[in-house]
Amino acid sequence: MSDATPTPLGPGGEFDRLRAVFARLGSRASGIGDDAAIVTVDGVRLALSCDLVVEGRHFRRDWLTPEEIGWRACAAALSDLAAMAATPLGVLAAVGVPEGSEGAFLEEMMEGVGQAAMFAGASVWGGDLVQAPVVTVDITVVGRAERPVRRRGARPGDRVWVTGSLGAPAAAVAAWEAGESPHPALRARFARPVPRVAEAAWLRDRGATAMLDVSDGLVGDAGHLAAASGVGVVIEAERVPVHGGVAAVDPSIPRSADPSIALRGGEEYELLVTLPPAFGDGEARWFVREFELPLTCVGEVREGAGVTVLRDGHPWDIGGGFSHFRAT
Amino acid sequence: MSDATPTPLGPGGEFDRLRAVFARLGSRASGIGDDAAIVTVDGVRLALSCDLVVEGRHFRRDWLTPEEIGWRACAAALSDLAAMAATPLGVLAAVGVPEGSEGAFLEEMMEGVGQAAMFAGASVWGGDLVQAPVVTVDITVVGRAERPVRRRGARPGDRVWVTGSLGAPAAAVAAWEAGESPHPALRARFARPVPRVAEAAWLRDRGATAMLDVSDGLVGDAGHLAAASGVGVVIEAERVPVHGGVAAVDPSIPRSADPSIALRGGEEYELLVTLPPAFGDGEARWFVREFELPLTCVGEVREGAGVTVLRDGHPWDIGGGFSHFRAT
């Protein structure tokens, strides 16, 4: 039924816990370790994933409109399909809301879910609605995955690329947590992330060897990719594309000087992808023209294990990555 | 992509809210109104549903073991597939747990999820894990639905049947809420509901015209079936099979005298099914022999609308049904 070869899991507390849980489930679990599970039903290959967001943990209600809460939850789940180069087909939305939020709040939030689904070409197939102490949204996404790109195909010599620019969502959260209003450009990247569905298919068609979306931070997700592929990943800090608004948050940190927020910040929903060396700057320019989105080479794949961040050519310890169990 | 003819929704607050939400989503929503959405992907017909349970709303942690919480959440979701006579293939489990419950509690709960999935012949395909203020479990189920039985096919003259016996889960909750320990037989029906997967396929193969699972109470769910099919449903109170342990909870209510707990109690996960008149007591005996489970005729389908409960041949108002937004 399912493509059973397990993908090795990378570092991080959430992964450790999932690993323990799925180890205990033994052979009943399958398809674990990538952004989405790949299963074959009667010859049709599907990608499936779910993404649960909880008020107070992933967002606060005074940060976002109800519609943005719905969009963001749905876009985050769709990004897991994009990370596999799958084509979204449908979503199911299980929603918990506190008493008093069943009216306009709920309708506007579901409007955001529907908009994000429509944006990605998917239908809303179903849902569930219950009362809960805080706003709780679980989006399950289903896509067609004829030629999925997994985390485990990176080979020494491949180069490591990232779409878009990084750091804005973490900078927006930092501003909110400091009691300030984030710059609108930063806020928009947090509130309305864009699942890179078409971009992922384009990259697959150009030979992408491994791919995932940046949800745990660039370095953290590079670690997942390295573990899954059995390789080492080297990232050159100076190359990492930092969102233009990030420097505005803290002018003492010019964007060229300390890109660590772009290296650590999670919930970016950009693509981290490895491509053979034949894919070069010329090909990247086609991508930029097609999608009006940066595509930047940030490093390369080597023999070995883990992630090495280089700054001025020297290894640089940027500290902990992003964890859903600690951040926000 | 999806089987687009919408199923009319029945009464109840949760349905009103879902109706408003999905009306606003307009044509982006499809497959709403049955227990599961039916969609066709590249010629393969799938049933999909999600079921969200929240601590304090659907269960309390001092009522159930972690394993039972997981089993019950997964069995409830699988029951939605059974209600369509679909064959379960896989489940995704999105889980939120409070800080401190990420270890043994989480593993045991997921063990229960995996056991229920295995019982129904499904794999655990994936999951998500986050921190949440209370235990929160959303189970998404995917099944093969070659010949689904919907809510909308009941015709006047059909007879109305129900599997198993009713009232035990509501009686267990009543005992807990009164500060008592429910009788083990009642507790087991609440803690370890059984999705009637094979039973549903058997009933479909004998000509079931409409089917759903009893989650909002027998009368409430009969109302959904009546609305979906555009018919009236008559239920004879004396015929409703009351669980043997229910009388034990309140001996002043002998099981033959007041079956209202069996008429109103939700989260039974038994099947409510309409069958042509040719299906009679002889056929029902085959069912009982095959599954060691009662199958009881409780009424019939007539021209008209809504549900009429008869007691001693006279209409009987049993009061409100079960609502996820009020009960437990």
Side-chain angles (χ1 to χ4, degrees):
Chain A
M1 180 78 59
S2 69
D3 296 18
T5 318
T7 296
L9 298 173
E14 190 195 11
F15 274 87
D16 287 342
R17 292 188 188 92
L18 280 176
R19 195 185 337 239
V21 164
F22 288 120
R24 183 156 167 175
L25 288 177
S27 63
R28 301 198 288 285
S30 60
I32 307 298
D34 271 298
D35 293 83
I38 303 290
V39 299
T40 305
V41 179
D42 298 338
V44 177
R45 213 174 203 190
L46 299 173
L48 302 102
S49 183
C50 58
D51 200 79
L52 176 61
V53 295
V54 177
E55 177 187 351
R57 167 71 28 193
H58 299 94
F59 65 90
R60 293 191 194 150
R61 279 172 82 163
D62 53 352
W63 293 356
L64 299 174
T65 68
E67 201 176 299
E68 286 168 344
I69 293 170
W71 172 287
R72 188 167 182 277
C74 191
L78 288 162
S79 182
D80 285 329
L81 292 187
M84 310 288 292
T87 307
L89 297 172
V91 309
L92 294 98
V95 173
V97 291
E99 202 165 356
S101 295
E102 307 94 335
F105 177 89
L106 176 67
E107 286 181 39
E108 286 164 34
M109 189 171 73
M110 286 301 295
E111 178 67 32
V113 170
Q115 281 179 9
M118 188 171 60
F119 173 87
S123 299
V124 177
W125 281 345
D128 194 15
L129 171 61
V130 302
Q131 231 174 49
V134 298
V135 176
T136 306
V137 185
D138 182 41
I139 304 285
T140 300
V141 288
V142 182
R144 192 186 276 108
E146 278 151 20
R147 288 179 292 139
V149 181
R150 296 163 189 277
R151 298 180 171 186
R152 62 171 183 246
R155 293 165 303 209
D158 287 348
R159 296 208 285 165
V160 180
W161 301 76
V162 68
T163 63
S165 58
L166 305 179
V173 170
W176 273 312
E177 290 190 332
E180 294 160 23
S181 292
H183 186 282
L186 299 180
R187 186 186 181 287
R189 284 279 301 138
F190 181 86
R192 291 221 168 238
V194 177
R196 303 298 187 192
V197 174
E199 293 85 346
W202 191 98
L203 291 163
R204 175 199 57 203
D205 293 344
R206 269 73 184 177
T209 52
M211 190 158 62
L212 41 56
D213 70 333
V214 180
S215 50
D216 296 339
L218 180 65
V219 171
D221 286 307
H224 300 320
L225 188 148
S229 295
V231 297
V233 168
V234 176
I235 291 176
E236 293 178 57
E238 295 85 354
R239 288 173 175 252
V240 173
V242 183
H243 190 280
V246 170
V249 177
D250 182 352
S252 72
I253 303 175
R255 50 184 284 194
S256 60
D258 184 355
S260 79
I261 195 168
L263 287 160
R264 286 183 293 107
E267 308 198 333
E268 298 278 358
Y269 308 117
E270 296 294 348
L271 298 170
L272 177 66
V273 56
T274 55
L275 286 151
F279 186 97
D281 291 341
E283 286 71 23
R285 276 194 291 276
W286 280 106
F287 179 96
V288 173
R289 214 166 300 161
E290 177 88 13
F291 298 108
E292 297 182 352
L293 185 75
L295 178 66
T296 310
C297 179
V298 297
E300 63 178 30
V301 178
R302 296 190 184 165
E303 306 272 359
V307 181
T308 306
V309 179
L310 297 179
R311 192 182 187 193
D312 300 328
H314 300 288
W316 182 37
D317 182 1
I318 64 154
F322 177 91
S323 163
H324 290 289
F325 259 87
R326 283 185 285 124
T328 311
Chain B
M1 180 76 59
S2 70
D3 296 17
T5 318
T7 295
L9 297 174
E14 189 196 10
F15 274 87
D16 288 342
R17 292 188 188 92
L18 279 175
R19 198 187 334 240
V21 164
F22 288 120
R24 183 156 168 175
L25 288 176
S27 62
R28 301 199 287 286
S30 60
I32 308 298
D34 272 297
D35 293 84
I38 303 291
V39 300
T40 305
V41 179
D42 298 338
V44 177
R45 213 173 203 190
L46 300 173
L48 301 102
S49 184
C50 58
D51 201 79
L52 175 61
V53 295
V54 177
E55 178 188 350
R57 167 71 29 191
H58 299 93
F59 65 90
R60 294 191 194 149
R61 280 172 82 162
D62 52 352
W63 293 356
L64 299 175
T65 68
E67 200 176 301
E68 287 168 342
I69 293 170
W71 171 286
R72 188 167 183 276
C74 191
L78 289 161
S79 182
D80 285 330
L81 292 187
M84 312 288 291
T87 307
L89 298 171
V91 310
L92 294 98
V95 173
V97 291
E99 202 165 357
S101 295
E102 307 94 335
F105 177 89
L106 176 68
E107 285 181 40
E108 285 164 32
M109 188 170 73
M110 287 301 296
E111 178 67 31
V113 170
Q115 281 180 8
M118 187 171 59
F119 173 87
S123 299
V124 177
W125 280 346
D128 194 16
L129 171 60
V130 302
Q131 229 173 50
V134 298
V135 176
T136 305
V137 185
D138 183 39
I139 304 286
T140 299
V141 287
V142 182
R144 193 185 277 110
E146 278 151 20
R147 290 179 291 140
V149 180
R150 296 163 188 278
R151 297 180 171 187
R152 63 170 182 247
R155 292 165 304 208
D158 287 349
R159 296 207 286 166
V160 180
W161 300 76
V162 67
T163 63
S165 58
L166 306 180
V173 170
W176 273 312
E177 291 189 333
E180 294 160 21
S181 292
H183 186 282
L186 300 179
R187 186 186 181 286
R189 284 279 300 138
F190 182 86
R192 289 222 169 235
V194 177
R196 304 299 187 190
V197 174
E199 293 85 346
W202 191 97
L203 291 163
R204 175 199 58 203
D205 293 344
R206 270 71 183 178
T209 53
M211 191 158 62
L212 40 57
D213 70 333
V214 180
S215 50
D216 295 341
L218 180 65
V219 171
D221 287 307
H224 300 321
L225 188 150
S229 295
V231 297
V233 168
V234 176
I235 291 175
E236 293 177 57
E238 293 84 354
R239 289 174 174 251
V240 173
V242 183
H243 189 280
V246 169
V249 176
D250 183 353
S252 72
I253 304 176
R255 52 184 284 198
S256 60
D258 185 356
S260 79
I261 197 169
L263 287 160
R264 286 183 292 107
E267 309 197 333
E268 297 279 357
Y269 307 117
E270 296 293 348
L271 298 170
L272 177 66
V273 56
T274 56
L275 286 151
F279 187 97
D281 291 341
E283 286 72 21
R285 276 193 292 274
W286 279 106
F287 178 96
V288 173
R289 213 165 300 160
E290 177 88 14
F291 299 108
E292 297 182 353
L293 185 74
L295 178 66
T296 310
C297 178
V298 297
E300 62 177 31
V301 179
R302 297 189 184 166
E303 306 273 358
V307 180
T308 306
V309 178
L310 297 180
R311 193 184 187 191
D312 298 328
H314 300 289
W316 182 38
D317 183 1
I318 63 153
F322 178 91
S323 164
H324 290 290
F325 259 88
R326 283 184 286 124
T328 311

